Amino acid sequence: FKNVISNGLVLDKNGNKMSKRLGNAVEPFGVIEKYGADAVRWYMITNSSPWDNLSFDPDGVKEVTSQFFIKLQQAYSFFTMYANVDGFEYKEADIAYTERPDFDRWLLSELNTVVKNVQASLDDYDPTPAGRLIQSFVIDKLSNWYIRLNKPCFQQHREEGMPMSTEKLSAYQTLYTCLETLSRLIAPVAPFYADQLFRDLNAVTGKDSSKSVHLAKFPTYNESYIDTELEQAMESAMKVTSMGLSIRKKVKIPVIQALQAIAIPDTDPAFSAQFDGKKFDFSDAQPFAIVKGGAPAGKENAIDAITGATMTSKGLDAAINAWVKAYAPVFAAAPCCSEEAQAEETTNTEE
């Protein structure tokens, strides 16, 4: 043999060897009947490497179902709902990658990066990181970010008989490519769901004539589509947004309340350059400012005017965490917010 993989033991959720005598054995067919074979396979592959012992917890299978498979199915349902309304069947010529909006190019870049890294892991006979990469892409990049923020594009009104806008067509083609590629990417681990997803997509478009995903070619990546700079910039946007939502929750400002300004610390030129206002428009605050020169005088510890809490910046993450408190806004010296506007915002918050 050129390569041999030795499986570890399947233990109970506490790491103990399963035994009928101890009553901790899990009946596998019952779990498969409840959650499906694909969910069980996905859980076992992504939970730990095949050669390590696996602590099997049925609740983990349930979590995989809700966080991964349902998210992927929701993405497919979202696509078909709008595609059916607009009659999208992928008959139009592909829009060139360079002519697509940043958001679509970012998703295609992330997709090709995932395909590249998954292929490398599988070639190394290590399926666990491959599954985790796919899962992270579906949950964090596709579902929680791209679809949520790009929904207005799919909702654009189109007059009957008029051609679809380039932006909307690009969104359809991008999301279809993503879903179809994912169906082939997950096929080795989730063969049943992957085949259903693949056949449902191609039944309408006929893009791939293969009768089954298991007869289709495994996806390959296009290096020219991978834009590391764009991926890093979007990752920063995602981080700032996530921290901003955390601060909102902390100071009890609902997301439906628009903000007057966001201030980001100019602690790293490369990081700050990613928020030049040219690439992203993901904020409900206007304007979106980079605060030069660090903290304003007297605000070095980023004092939270609402809660009275003090947060000292330690490293970039801590700096972002502290400065995103401008969601309140709480920095009187922030150049993106006038004193009058700050006073009005503080009054509204107190009320």
Side-chain angles (χ1 to χ4, degrees):
F1 298 97
K2 293 183 178 180
N3 297 279
V4 177
I5 295 179
S6 178
N7 290 329
L9 296 175
V10 179
L11 310 174
D12 72 2
K13 63 181 180 181
N14 297 316
N16 300 316
K17 187 175 180 179
M18 291 189 185
S19 169
K20 290 183 179 180
R21 179 179 61 83
L22 297 176
N24 62 347
V26 176
E27 205 282 306
F29 292 105
V31 179
I32 291 175
E33 183 178 356
K34 185 175 182 179
Y35 298 110
D38 283 349
V40 174
R41 288 165 60 96
W42 194 271
Y43 168 76
M44 296 184 72
I45 286 293
T46 58
N47 187 271
S48 64
S49 297
W51 47 85
D52 291 332
N53 292 336
L54 167 67
S55 296
F56 188 89
D57 185 357
D59 288 339
V61 182
K62 179 181 179 180
E63 185 176 345
V64 163
T65 302
S66 61
Q67 291 192 357
F68 176 63
F69 284 101
I70 290 181
K71 288 279 189 180
L72 184 52
Q73 180 62 28
Q74 288 174 340
Y76 170 73
S77 298
F78 172 87
F79 169 78
T80 56
M81 177 176 65
Y82 287 101
N84 289 335
V85 171
D86 286 316
F88 174 78
E89 297 181 354
Y90 216 134
K91 304 302 181 185
E92 303 84 356
D94 281 319
I95 296 177
Y97 173 77
T98 55
E99 296 177 5
R100 301 195 184 198
D102 285 348
F103 220 16
D104 293 340
R105 289 191 296 105
W106 165 76
L107 188 66
L108 290 175
S109 176
E110 289 282 2
L111 178 64
N112 280 271
T113 298
V114 168
V115 172
K116 179 179 181 179
N117 294 334
V118 166
Q119 183 64 68
S121 294
L122 295 180
D123 288 344
D124 198 34
Y125 295 88
D126 193 1
T128 301
R132 290 173 179 174
L133 285 169
I134 297 171
Q135 185 166 312
S136 175
F137 173 80
V138 169
I139 297 173
D140 300 326
K141 309 295 175 57
L142 177 62
S143 178
N144 291 349
W145 192 252
Y146 179 82
I147 290 180
R148 282 190 181 183
L149 295 188
N150 213 30
K151 187 178 295 185
C153 180
F154 291 92
Q155 295 174 334
Q156 287 180 7
H157 177 69
R158 178 166 67 105
E159 295 292 341
E160 186 176 352
M162 297 297 292
M164 197 179 303
S165 68
T166 302
E167 181 185 11
K168 191 171 188 178
L169 180 59
S170 173
Y172 274 124
Q173 292 182 349
T174 298
L175 185 51
Y176 178 92
T177 299
C178 183
L179 291 170
E180 201 268 350
T181 302
L182 283 170
S183 71
R184 291 182 284 147
L185 205 59
I186 68 174
V189 184
F192 303 108
Y193 180 78
D195 194 46
Q196 187 66 55
L197 179 60
F198 177 84
R199 288 189 290 137
D200 286 347
L201 287 167
N202 283 283
V204 176
T205 66
K207 294 287 288 183
D208 194 311
S209 59
S210 302
K211 294 183 179 180
S212 168
V213 71
H214 306 296
L215 299 176
K217 292 183 178 180
F218 195 74
T220 56
Y221 65 92
N222 187 334
E223 189 70 43
S224 65
Y225 282 13
I226 298 178
D227 187 339
T228 305
E229 181 182 351
L230 182 59
E231 290 183 22
Q232 292 175 346
M234 192 67 79
E235 182 67 28
S236 298
M238 294 171 71
K239 178 180 288 188
V240 170
T241 301
S242 177
M243 291 181 175
L245 290 173
S246 297
I247 297 299
R248 275 180 174 273
K249 183 177 181 181
K250 178 181 177 182
V251 298
K252 300 180 180 179
I253 297 179
V255 293
I256 61 173
Q257 181 178 335
L259 307 172
Q260 294 178 352
I262 300 176
I264 302 296
D266 187 21
T267 57
D268 183 340
F271 178 85
S272 300
Q274 296 169 356
F275 296 96
D276 57 7
K278 297 179 181 178
K279 285 187 176 181
F280 304 110
D281 182 19
F282 64 92
S283 167
D284 61 358
Q286 294 295 335
F288 184 92
I290 300 296
V291 180
K292 303 294 181 181
K299 299 288 184 179
E300 289 79 3
N301 290 329
I303 299 176
D304 186 332
I306 296 179
T307 64
T310 300
M311 184 176 296
T312 303
S313 298
K314 293 181 179 179
L316 180 59
D317 284 348
I320 296 173
N321 200 355
W323 279 83
V324 171
K325 289 180 181 295
Y327 262 114
V330 298
F331 297 117
C336 60
C337 194
S338 65
E339 293 183 2
E340 293 80 4
Q342 292 173 40
E344 180 181 353
E345 177 71 15
T346 302
T347 302
N348 292 339
T349 304
E350 290 175 349
E351 292 177 353

